[in-house]
Amino acid sequence: MFSVFKQDSSKPPEIRNPQKLHAGLSSLGVTPQETPISKLMLFHDLLVAANSRINLTKVLDWPEVIVRHYLDSLSVVMAVPSLLDGGENILDIGSGFGMPGIPLKVMFPGNDLVMLDSVKKKIEFIDFAVEEMDLTNTTTVVGRAEDIAKNKKHREKYSVVVSRAVATLPVLLEFALPFCNIGGTFIAMKSSAVQSEIDRSENALKLLGGEIDRVVSVEDKLPFLPGKLVVIRKVAKTSDIYPRKAGIPKKRPL
């Protein structure tokens, strides 16, 4: 379905200044390096080309991509600084076209990464991009979180689970916590108005074995991004009855 990006010779080459990306990385305590920056530029080429065939994202302008895709994804390191050291086993739930998983893997290659999405075409794009970018220890899974979490290969196997813009927090907890190992961390990437979702999550946290550790304000380091990172610790085993059958968590949140 996908092929290697070729520049349209009828159009002038896009000018892509990485200065804002460099500045954002520095604010996050990450030293910008040539190879990962080049890989993120390659991913942008692949995304633009693929998006002309299937709808992956409306955000394709390079300056916007830096902020809303790359730096937003990489802000996760504010909640999990151990990503800098490597050795984490990460699951990205609802990865879509690869956010936040791809930037996290590119910038912090010492971690293992699995990206999960229910839309096959999106996973096919991720697989293509992973091969073109030569990303190691990076795999994908097609399916719904409610089903995949029942698989012993994935259940309570991840030290870090992350999800961006998938569902409200009570629902998201039922998707994510069954994948977390005890002592692991789930990062819910949310808008600045997340407190009402937190207030509705008390029962879900109790039933699923989670505990809110803290809420990190992304704008503390990236003033142009007002999002919040809700950091949930897995403190107890999740009962085998969760997650419930596909579709039920959204219809009847815990």
Side-chain angles (χ1 to χ4, degrees):
M1 175 183 292
F2 303 104
S3 57
V4 176
F5 171 83
K6 293 183 179 180
Q7 179 70 46
D8 185 346
S9 59
S10 67
K11 298 180 181 180
E14 182 183 24
I15 298 174
R16 294 176 301 175
N17 188 337
Q19 183 176 353
K20 188 155 192 174
L21 181 56
H22 283 209
L25 289 171
S26 296
S27 296
L28 292 171
V30 180
T31 303
Q33 296 181 0
E34 183 178 347
T35 297
I37 296 295
S38 296
K39 286 191 175 185
L40 288 179
M41 287 184 167
L42 171 58
F43 181 79
H44 183 245
D45 289 340
L46 300 173
L47 178 62
V48 169
N51 207 70
S52 66
R53 305 179 195 180
I54 63 172
N55 183 27
L56 295 170
T57 178
K58 294 180 180 179
V59 179
L60 289 170
D61 184 63
W62 174 248
E64 272 197 290
V65 165
I66 288 176
V67 174
R68 295 177 59 184
H69 290 334
Y70 294 164
L71 292 178
D72 184 54
S73 296
L74 293 167
S75 70
V76 171
V77 76
M78 295 175 64
V80 192
S82 58
L83 293 175
L84 289 161
D85 301 322
E88 300 287 3
N89 191 17
I90 307 169
L91 173 68
D92 176 7
I93 297 178
S95 194
F97 60 94
M99 298 294 128
I102 292 289
L104 290 174
K105 181 61 183 180
V106 169
M107 295 307 304
F108 313 120
N111 303 290
D112 293 344
L113 173 66
V114 176
M115 287 175 281
L116 166 65
D117 202 277
S118 62
V119 181
K120 185 179 179 182
K121 287 183 178 180
K122 292 180 178 179
I123 290 295
E124 287 174 343
F125 167 70
I126 292 174
D127 286 337
F128 169 71
V130 165
E131 183 175 355
E132 291 298 316
M133 298 165 71
D134 193 26
L135 301 181
T136 60
N137 299 319
T138 305
T139 57
T140 58
V141 179
V142 179
R144 297 187 64 148
E146 301 100 314
D147 299 324
I148 305 301
K150 298 289 187 180
N151 187 325
K152 291 182 180 179
K153 180 180 177 181
H154 297 282
R155 191 172 184 86
E156 298 191 327
K157 298 297 184 183
Y158 298 92
S159 60
V160 176
V161 178
V162 63
S163 188
R164 182 175 86 149
V166 170
T168 61
L169 189 58
V171 176
L172 200 50
L173 290 168
E174 189 168 358
F175 290 165
L177 283 176
F179 289 103
C180 266
N181 58 29
I182 296 176
T185 305
F186 168 47
I187 309 299
M189 303 177 70
K190 287 290 181 177
S191 71
S192 58
V194 72
Q195 188 57 50
S196 62
E197 293 184 34
I198 293 173
D199 294 340
R200 302 197 305 273
S201 298
E202 184 177 348
N203 190 51
L205 288 164
K206 181 179 178 180
L207 292 172
L208 298 166
E211 182 179 276
I212 292 181
D213 182 77
R214 64 193 187 282
V215 178
V216 176
S217 178
V218 176
E219 64 185 349
D220 286 350
K221 291 190 175 181
L222 301 173
F224 43 82
L225 283 172
K228 304 286 188 182
L229 304 172
V230 185
V231 184
I232 297 106
R233 299 292 183 192
K234 180 72 172 284
V235 296
K237 181 177 174 62
T238 302
S239 169
D240 290 340
I241 66 175
Y242 300 113
R244 292 165 292 170
K245 290 184 179 179
I248 293 179
K250 283 191 174 182
K251 289 180 180 178
R252 299 199 300 272
L254 294 173

